[in-house]
Amino acid sequence: MDEKIFGLIGRKLGHSDSAIIHDKFGLKNYRLFEIEPDEIESFLNTPGLKGLNVTIPYKRDVIPFMDELSDEARSVGSVNTIVFKDGKKIGHNTDVYGLYYMAKRAGIDFDNKKVVIFGSGGASRAVIYAARKMGAREIVVVSRTGENNYENLHLHKDADILVNATPVGMYPNPEGSVVDPAYFEKAAGCMDLVYNPRLTDFLKLSKNAGKIAAGGLSMLVAQAKQAEEWFLDTEIDDGEIGRVLSEVARARTSIALVGMPGAGKTSIGRALSEISGLPVYDADAEIEKEAGMTIPEIMEKEGVPVFREREAQAVRRLSLLRGAIIALGGGAVLREDNRANLKRNCRVYQIARDVNLLPRDGRPLSKNLSEMEKERAPYYALARDVIVPNDGSIMDAAERIWRDFCENTRD
Ligand code: NAP
C-alpha cells in the first residue's frame, strides 16, 4: 500500500508539540521534517504527501508553491496547513480557528472592543484577521519600529483586550513580558500566543492584575484539530479539543517537590516516577554533578552564596523541562527567581513532615530545624500549589500527588 505522509515542516523542531497533539487526536504516523530553505520546493513534491503543517520560518515561503489558498490563508498571508488533494496543494491557515477557540474558551469577547496586539509577524496578522471577524471595534498593532510602539503605549491605555503575538517569554528564554498588562487598567482579557512555558510572565502579570489570562496551548490544540479535519477530510467533534488539551497540558507539565531537608522529596520523587513513568531529577544531584563536588564540599570550599547561585542555575535548567519530576533542595524556594522559574511549567507540591522526624546527619544547613522551618514556612507557601503531608508511607504520599496532578493539571 502507498504510504500516506502527514507531518510538520520547519527548520528546528526539537521542541515541537505537534506530534503529541496529532497523536492524541488519533493521527499516529505524524512526522517532523526539519528542512532547509532551499529544500522547500523539492520537499513539497515528495510522493505520498497527504497533509503538512508548516511552522517558523516557512509559513510565507510555501505560498508560491500552492495551487489554491483558503480565504484565511490569503488574507493573513501565511499558510500553516497544506492539504495534498487530487494533485493539488491547497494552503490553509488554521491559526485563525485556533484563535477563535482560544478567545471563546477563555470567555474573552471581542465584540466592539479595542484590541492591542504586540508584534507584527505572521501570528499578529492571524490575530488581526480573527479580531476583525469577531467584531473588534479598533485594532492596534504595537511594533518596535512602527507608528504605534513601546514609547507611546499611553495612546492605547484604553485597550480592552491585549494579545502578545511576539516570541517574548518563550522557551528557552522564558523571563520577561513584552509589557506589564497592569498598565492597561481597562483591559479585561489578555491572550498570550506563547505556549511554552504554560505560565508566561505576561500571563502571570495579567492574572496578578485580576484580568482573564489565556495561554497559547488552547490555540495550538484547536488549530491542530482543524488541520486534522482538512488532512483526513473528516469532522472531529469540538469536545475533543478539551480532551486533547487536558492530556497535552498534563504531558507538558512537570511536578516539582519542595519542602524541608529530609521531608522525603527524593524518595517520593522516585516512587512517583515508578507510578507515573515520568523521569525524575534531583536538583542536589545535578548541582553535585555540575560542580564535581558533594554539597558539603561546595559549602565548605565555596560558601553558601555560591551554592545558592549554583542551585539557581540548576533550578532554571530543570524548570525548562516538561513532563518531569523535579525534587528540590530544602532552600530552593527562598529565592524569588527560583519560585518564578518553577511556576512556569510545574505544579509545585510541598512535602510536609513533622519537624521532629526530620533527619539531621550529612545535611550542613540542617542544624536548627525548628527555627529553619519557621523561617521558611512563608516561602514554601509562596512556592507551592498543594501541600502534601508525608505522614504515612512514601508510596501513599506519591499516590496522593499523582492523583492530584492528574485531576488538576489542565489548561
Ligand atoms: P515572529 O514572526 O518571529 O515574531 C513576531 C513579531 O514579534 C516580530 O515580527 C516582532 O515584531 C516581534 N518581536 C520579535 N522579537 C521581539 C522582541 N525581542 N521584543 C519585542 N517584540 C519582538 O513570530 P510569529 O510567527 O509571528 O509568532 C509569534 C509568537 O506566537 C511565537 O512565540 C509563536 O510561537 C507564537 N505562536 C503560537 C501559536 C499557537 O498556536 N499558540 C501559533 C502561531 C504562533 P516587531 O518587529 O514589529 O516588534
Side-chain angles (χ1 to χ4, degrees):
M1 210 173 74
D2 288 344
E3 190 192 9
K4 291 182 179 160
I5 302 171
F6 298 96
L8 171 70
I9 58 168
R11 204 155 188 192
K12 292 268 171 293
L13 301 175
H15 294 276
S16 170
D17 287 327
S18 294
I20 178 178
I21 292 173
H22 283 286
D23 179 80
K24 294 197 181 291
F25 275 120
L27 191 57
K28 298 293 170 194
N29 55 345
Y30 186 94
R31 291 155 60 180
L32 303 181
F33 301 101
E34 290 188 347
I35 61 173
E36 291 301 312
D38 59 358
E39 295 170 327
I40 297 174
E41 183 172 10
S42 64
F43 185 84
L44 292 179
N45 290 317
T46 307
L49 283 178
K50 287 289 167 210
L52 285 181
N53 287 125
V54 184
T55 189
I56 294 172
Y58 300 136
K59 289 185 182 187
R60 278 170 99 84
D61 299 350
V62 298
I63 292 179
F65 307 114
M66 297 298 106
D67 298 297
E68 288 174 25
L69 289 177
S70 68
D71 285 349
E72 282 91 350
R74 187 175 303 103
S75 305
V76 173
S78 152
V79 163
N80 77 338
T81 300
I82 305 172
V83 176
F84 299 77
K85 197 173 177 190
D86 304 330
K88 284 186 178 168
K89 302 180 188 76
I90 306 158
H92 295 271
N93 187 305
T94 64
D95 283 341
V96 173
Y97 177 83
L99 283 160
Y100 294 153
Y101 180 86
M102 179 180 179
K104 192 170 157 207
R105 181 178 175 90
I108 299 176
D109 180 4
F110 278 65
D111 193 38
N112 203 28
K113 298 287 167 36
K114 174 167 177 172
V115 181
V116 172
I117 305 165
F118 302 101
S120 66
S124 170
R125 289 194 302 277
V127 180
I128 295 172
Y129 180 92
R132 219 175 262 145
K133 289 277 179 191
M134 289 190 281
R137 178 184 81 244
E138 186 183 348
I139 300 170
V140 175
V141 173
V142 171
S143 156
R144 290 167 300 180
T145 52
E147 191 187 330
N148 294 300
N149 53 60
Y150 296 93
E151 304 303 315
N152 60 21
L153 289 176
H154 59 277
L155 297 177
H156 306 295
K157 221 173 173 322
D158 58 342
D160 298 300
I161 295 171
L162 307 176
V163 185
N164 176 37
T166 77
V168 176
M170 187 169 77
Y171 173 93
N173 301 305
E175 295 88 1
S177 170
V178 73
V179 289
D180 183 352
Y183 177 75
F184 302 85
E185 285 171 18
K186 218 181 132 216
C190 299
M191 296 169 51
D192 195 342
L193 271 50
V194 171
Y195 50 87
N196 181 16
R198 288 186 53 221
L199 182 67
T200 61
D201 287 357
F202 179 83
L203 292 175
K204 188 171 76 177
L205 292 167
S206 302
K207 279 188 187 172
N208 290 348
K211 303 174 188 303
I212 299 176
L217 192 62
S218 60
M219 172 180 173
L220 187 72
V221 171
Q223 70 75 30
K225 177 251 186 191
Q226 196 189 40
E228 200 156 313
E229 289 179 328
W230 289 118
F231 290 165
L232 304 176
D233 200 10
T234 184
E235 254 187 53
I236 300 172
D237 191 275
D238 272 0
E240 282 290 276
I241 303 175
R243 177 188 62 81
V244 173
L245 191 48
S246 292
E247 289 180 20
V248 174
R250 204 162 73 205
R252 291 302 191 238
T253 304
S254 290
I255 296 175
L257 305 177
V258 302
M260 287 286 285
K265 294 160 298 199
T266 305
S267 320
I268 292 173
R270 279 197 213 108
L272 253 174
S273 177
E274 259 176 53
I275 299 171
S276 63
L278 299 178
V280 61
Y281 297 85
D282 186 280
D284 281 353
E286 298 286 315
I287 298 166
E288 291 186 335
K289 198 161 72 189
E290 181 75 23
M293 291 182 265
T294 63
I295 305 270
E297 282 168 352
I298 299 172
M299 298 290 192
E300 198 188 312
K301 290 193 181 132
E302 299 184 331
V304 176
V306 175
F307 166 72
R308 291 287 177 221
E309 202 45 52
R310 286 185 177 280
E311 183 178 52
Q313 286 165 19
V315 171
R316 188 180 185 282
R317 262 196 323 275
L318 293 172
S319 65
L320 290 173
L321 299 171
R322 299 183 296 168
I325 299 161
I326 306 162
L328 292 131
V333 296
L334 295 174
R335 278 177 59 147
E336 207 271 328
D337 55 343
N338 289 346
R339 296 194 301 270
N341 279 327
L342 292 175
K343 289 278 188 192
R344 289 197 175 95
N345 268 333
C346 299
R347 189 164 170 83
V348 181
Y349 293 87
Q350 180 190 353
I351 311 295
R353 194 166 187 219
D354 184 335
V355 74
N356 297 314
L357 300 177
L358 299 176
R360 279 157 169 79
D361 48 311
R363 297 171 193 268
L365 295 181
S366 300
K367 296 287 179 262
N368 189 339
L369 287 172
S370 301
E371 228 168 78
M372 183 190 272
E373 190 187 44
K374 222 182 272 163
E375 211 175 274
R376 290 185 179 177
Y379 298 102
Y380 289 127
L382 283 173
R384 74 180 175 232
D385 292 298
V386 183
I387 187 162
V388 174
N390 178 18
D391 52 7
S393 73
I394 292 292
M395 217 18 125
D396 280 348
E399 276 169 0
R400 223 175 293 169
I401 291 171
W402 185 238
R403 236 186 346 263
D404 171 88
F405 183 74
C406 293
E407 281 168 11
N408 296 300
T409 309
R410 54 173 71 93
D411 205 80

